[in-house]
Amino acid sequence: MAWQCAKCGVDLAPKSTVFSYMGMTFAHEVLRCPVCGLVFIQKELADGKMAEVEQLMEEK
Ligand SMILES: [Zn+2]
């Protein structure tokens, strides 16, 4: 089942997006509405990526 934008009612399309967090940047594919450009980031993805970055920071 495809995710849809609640506002536009269209299917979301995967798009590679660059994130910036705590001075680091990384790219990940997220679902984005092709009409209004709203980006949907699953909570698990956000939490996982943030934890990953925090771990990298601690190792330095
Ligand atoms: Zn939309």
Side-chain angles (χ1 to χ4, degrees), residues 6 16 18 33 42-43 47 50 54 59-60:
S16 186
V18 175
C33 173
Q42 285 114 314
K43 193 179 179 296
D47 288 351
M50 293 306 130
E54 274 160 21
E59 277 166 19
K60 280 190 176 164

Side-chain angles (χ1 to χ4, degrees), residues 7-46:
K7 201 171 92 181
C8 311
V10 297
D11 286 355
L12 301 178
K15 171 133 174 40
S16 186
T17 305
V18 175
F19 295 91
S20 198
Y21 180 72
M22 289 176 75
M24 297 182 70
T25 55
F26 48 91
H28 205 282
E29 240 180 37
V30 295
L31 290 172
R32 181 176 172 277
C33 173
V35 177
C36 68
L38 189 68
V39 170
F40 288 75
I41 300 173
Q42 285 114 314
K43 193 179 179 296
E44 309 85 64
L45 168 67

